[in-house]
Amino acid sequence: MKFTKMQGLGNDYVYIDCTKGEIENIPYVSKFISNRHFGVGSDGLVLICASDLADFKMRMFNPDGSEAEMCGNAIRCVGKYLYDKGLTDNKILKIETLAGIKVLELNLENGKVKTVKVDMGEPILDSNLIPVISDEFPVKNLKLKVKDKEFTFTCVSMGNPHAITFIDDIKNFDVKGYGSILEIDNHFPKRCNIEFVKVIDESNVKMRVWERGTGETLACGTGACATTVACILNGLTKRKVNVELLGGVLNIEWNNENNHVYMTGPAVTVFEGELVEEIGGELI
C-alpha cells in the first residue's frame, strides 16, 4: 500500500489515494500507521476519496482510530496532493468532509502548491450544534475546574468542537495535564479540542492545542480558526489574526460580510513510502 507523508506546520498525516477503492479496517490501519515507533508516525491518517458531491472527499482518522469531522492542516495538504500528483489541474477545489464542503484556493510556486487558502465556512456558535452543555449564546463563560485551576471557555465549532481559554504563561503551561482531562469533560458530549491562547496584540496571538483523540500537536487549523472567532467574540483582536502555533503561523480572517472564516497556510510533502509487511495477519 503506497502512501505519502505530508505536514502543515508540523501537523503531520499519512495520505492514501482511495479514489479507486477504499482500504479495509481503517481504524486499525490508522492506529498502526500513526504509531511513531512501530508504524510510519503521524498525527493521523487521511484518505483521499472520490465524491458525488464535490471534486474529491477527505476522510481523516485520529491515532486512536476515531474519525474526525475536519482538519484544517490536513485539508491544505489534500489540495497539494491532488494538484502535485496530477489528479487535478484546477486551482480552485471543492472537498467534501464530514463538516461539509470546503473550498480550497491553491497558490503555486514553480509549478507546485506552496500555500493553500481554505474557506472554512461559518463558525457554529449554537451550543447544541457545537456541542457543549450550556444555555449561553454564544458560549463565552463556560467555567470548568480542573485540579487546582478554574478556566473560562469560549466554545466554537468549525465542523468539530473547540473550547478556547485565555492564559498568561503559554510557554510553560501543562497542556497535557489539563487538556487530557478537559477533552473528556461531561460538558462536551462528543469530547472536545482544547485551545490555550495568549493574546499578544490585536493582530497576533499564540496558541497551544490538545487535540481530541490525538494529544498535543504542533498545529491545528480548525483550532486556529476557532481561536480567532473566540478572540473576536471577546473583543480581543481585529478580524484578521496571525495565529502562532508550535509549528508556525496561520493567517486567519473572519470575514465580516459573509461570516466565513478563511485560513491560509503552507502544505509540505515530506516523503513517499510503501507498506509491504503484514499487519495483524492481514496484508494491507
Side-chain angles (χ1 to χ4, degrees), residues 276-284:
V276 296
E277 297 289 341
E278 292 188 1
I279 303 172
E282 297 180 0
L283 184 64
I284 63 167

Side-chain angles (χ1 to χ4, degrees), residues 21-221:
E22 291 196 357
I23 61 178
E24 297 180 356
N25 201 3
I26 298 171
Y28 178 77
V29 174
S30 182
K31 290 180 183 179
F32 172 81
I33 279 181
S34 302
N35 191 291
R36 297 189 184 276
H37 299 287
F38 297 100
V40 179
S42 67
D43 288 327
L45 170 68
V46 175
L47 306 181
I48 300 174
C49 310
S51 173
D52 295 327
L53 303 175
D55 297 315
F56 295 91
K57 178 179 180 180
M58 177 183 88
R59 297 187 68 191
M60 180 255 172
F61 293 83
N62 295 313
D64 66 356
S66 61
E67 186 168 7
E69 299 93 339
M70 174 59 187
C71 175
N73 290 313
I75 202 170
R76 293 201 312 277
C77 290
V78 167
K80 179 176 176 63
Y81 183 104
L82 291 168
Y83 189 90
D84 288 2
K85 286 184 171 292
L87 295 177
T88 183
D89 57 4
N90 294 328
K91 297 181 182 64
I92 304 293
L93 293 174
K94 293 182 179 180
I95 305 297
E96 178 187 354
T97 76
L98 289 180
I101 295 175
K102 307 301 178 185
V103 180
L104 279 57
E105 180 181 334
L106 310 181
N107 303 308
L108 307 185
E109 186 176 292
N110 298 322
K112 291 193 175 183
V113 175
K114 183 72 172 180
T115 64
V116 179
K117 180 179 181 179
V118 185
D119 181 349
M120 301 289 285
E122 297 185 56
I124 298 169
L125 304 178
D126 187 321
S127 61
N128 293 318
L129 300 177
I130 291 174
V132 56
I133 298 174
S134 172
D135 294 328
E136 276 192 290
F137 182 88
V139 182
K140 296 198 299 181
N141 293 286
L142 178 65
K143 298 188 184 301
L144 299 177
K145 188 173 182 179
V146 177
K147 299 180 181 179
D148 58 332
K149 295 183 182 294
E150 183 177 74
F151 300 91
T152 300
F153 285 99
T154 298
C155 297
V156 179
S157 172
M158 293 303 306
N160 54 354
H162 294 269
I164 301 93
T165 189
F166 300 99
I167 62 175
D168 293 323
D169 187 5
I170 194 168
K171 180 179 180 181
N172 299 305
F173 188 78
D174 184 7
V175 170
K176 180 179 180 180
Y178 292 98
S180 59
I181 298 173
L182 288 162
E183 173 194 350
I184 58 174
D185 187 275
N186 292 334
H187 286 80
F188 306 122
K190 293 186 177 181
R191 298 187 293 166
C192 199
N193 301 286
I194 311 297
E195 280 79 27
F196 303 96
V197 178
K198 179 178 176 62
V199 177
I200 306 304
D201 55 42
E202 60 184 9
S203 299
N204 298 277
V205 304
K206 292 185 177 182
M207 181 191 106
R208 292 177 65 185
V209 57
W210 178 267
E211 290 201 56
R212 178 184 56 169
T214 303
E216 184 174 15
T217 59
L218 295 179
C220 177

